[in-house]
Amino acid sequence: MNDRIFDVLRHAIATQTGTDPETITPASNLAELGVKSLDLVEIIMSIEDTYDITIPNNAVEAWDRFKTVADLIQLGEEFGLGTERP
Amino acid sequence: MSPDRVVVTGLGCVSALGHDVDKFWASLAAGRCGLGPIDVSSPDMPVPAPVKITVGGAIPAPDPRLLIDARRSPMLDRFSVLAILAAQQALAQSGLSMDRYGDRTGCIIGVGVAGFEAIEDGYRRLFLEGLRRTNVFTVPRVMPSAPASQVSMALGIRGPVFGTTSACSSSNHAIATALWMLRSGVMDAALVGGAEAPLIYGVLKSWEALRVVAPDTCRPFDKNRKGLVLAEGAGVVVMERASAARARGAPILAEIAGAGMSADAADLVAPTMDGPAAAIRACLADAGLNADDVDYVNAHGTGTVANDSTEIKVIKSVFGEHARRLSISSTKSMHGHALGASGALELIAIVRAIQEGLVPPTVNLEQLDPECDLDVTPNVARERPIRVAISNAFAFGGTNAIVAARRFDA
């Protein structure tokens, strides 16, 4: 698992949901953290902004595909993120 | 079998006159004007041209957004915040349980335009700040159906849910639509009203361009009236089939007796006589009322030169000799013109007027326009038993809608 991506994601989720970032783990369920469909889009877009990339996704498909924080870490790894400092 | 009657079992509002119906009605009864200085400038938002509109009907502190569930707030433009607060009050008064009746309850909320905060924020990001994207919630915040759908999500309303839009008569089109759907039996209850939050830079600049906004205050029927005063607000009422309301022992505040609609099909902003008159006649016919059954007319009464004198002529043409026995007033002189929300606020005004036997006044009236020579209830409320009251709404684009409320005698 990539710690850098996790750290960026954890803070993006915390900002969007008002959750304490320290309580978020890779196994955390997004819905249980209070993430709703469009929050997820905003979180993915904040990753795009952080890394200046474009991640193809749409709100409905993202909601079906990403259930846990680990799912999002895997998405980041698919884009080769976390190998360099943002 | 005659169709079921439709009654009102709950009221809720947020307006320039305060955060609930009791404050709203106390101001109307006392003739207190809620209009005053507004300032939409912000150090965070430099603007190229100042706003010339400096008077409006702003909701007093505390900020309504602070009264909403914080988790829900990012999804809500201001008009949806106001709609939820008004709907919560109305539902609480009615005692209608959404767990039990949500499938047979609808929600129809009129909106004059859209969610202005998100539109302005989006354009600022794209055009001024050069950002690549808008906030993800822009579309769901802007959409004119947002107040209706957000109320349904906040309260668990699972029947027919949609917005209506017809500029300044949007609320009355919502109320009329709900009335006919309730009579038809497709639902048993509905949260119905309107919401608008137009005190925003770009919106005020747009109204400034129309040159119909008063620089001082709203003086309907006054010889020196200078225009309307924009306001924010929301009103929501619980409407129910009388049989359903009786079956659950609900408080019945008044009956919604009828509604009528028409269009001028003429000028974009100049009112006609034929269109509004046709809508009032259609409303009386729908309610099974004669002209002389009506005691109180809550006028559209915007305070523009064109509207008020035309409206008085329309009332004379529809009511004939009885026009001189009517009590008429424009409560916009106190709560301002909340555009798509006005009809809902004015429905609450006529329901309370019927309950209390008190006609709220037209305030800020110094010198009656000789062309408005009917009893417009100048400045002081008048005690009078009210059997039937109607509320007029005539909008830019010529879309007219009238609703009639009747005292409910079980």
Side-chain angles (χ1 to χ4, degrees), chain A:
Chain A
M1 189 198 72
N2 191 299
D3 286 342
R4 275 188 206 150
I5 302 177
F6 173 55
D7 207 44
V8 169
L9 273 170
R10 181 160 70 168
H11 285 94
I13 293 167
T15 302
Q16 191 68 17
T17 61
T19 314
D20 176 0
E22 297 306 317
T23 65
I24 298 172
T25 71
S28 296
N29 180 290
L30 294 170
E32 286 169 11
L33 290 172
V35 175
K36 292 192 164 54
S37 56
L38 293 185
D39 293 325
L40 183 56
V41 177
E42 185 69 29
I43 290 162
I44 293 173
M45 288 198 296
S46 73
I47 305 300
E48 291 182 326
D49 290 346
T50 302
Y51 290 100
D52 196 22
I53 57 166
T54 300
I55 301 173
N57 72 85
N58 75 52
V60 177
E61 286 174 11
W63 189 240
D64 286 340
R65 178 176 166 198
F66 305 110
K67 302 295 184 192
T68 65
V69 176
D71 292 338
L72 288 173
I73 294 169
Q74 191 189 343
L75 171 73
E77 287 170 347
E78 285 170 19
F79 279 83
L81 303 182
T83 51
E84 292 175 29
R85 276 269 168 218

Side-chain angles (χ1 to χ4, degrees), chain B residues 348-366:
Chain B
I348 291 168
I350 65 175
V351 168
R352 289 302 302 260
I354 289 169
Q355 287 185 288
E356 307 287 335
L358 189 74
V359 178
T362 305
V363 303
N364 303 322
L365 190 54
E366 292 171 349

Side-chain angles (χ1 to χ4, degrees), chain B residues 295-329:
Chain B
D295 295 309
Y296 170 44
V297 176
N298 185 299
H300 188 52
T302 53
T304 63
V305 172
N307 176 81
D308 297 1
S309 51
T310 305
E311 185 167 9
I312 293 293
K313 287 194 191 87
V314 167
I315 291 170
K316 287 177 180 173
S317 80
V318 172
F319 291 92
E321 275 304 300
H322 183 65
R324 308 239 157 244
R325 294 189 289 275
L326 287 170
S327 285
I328 300 164
S329 69

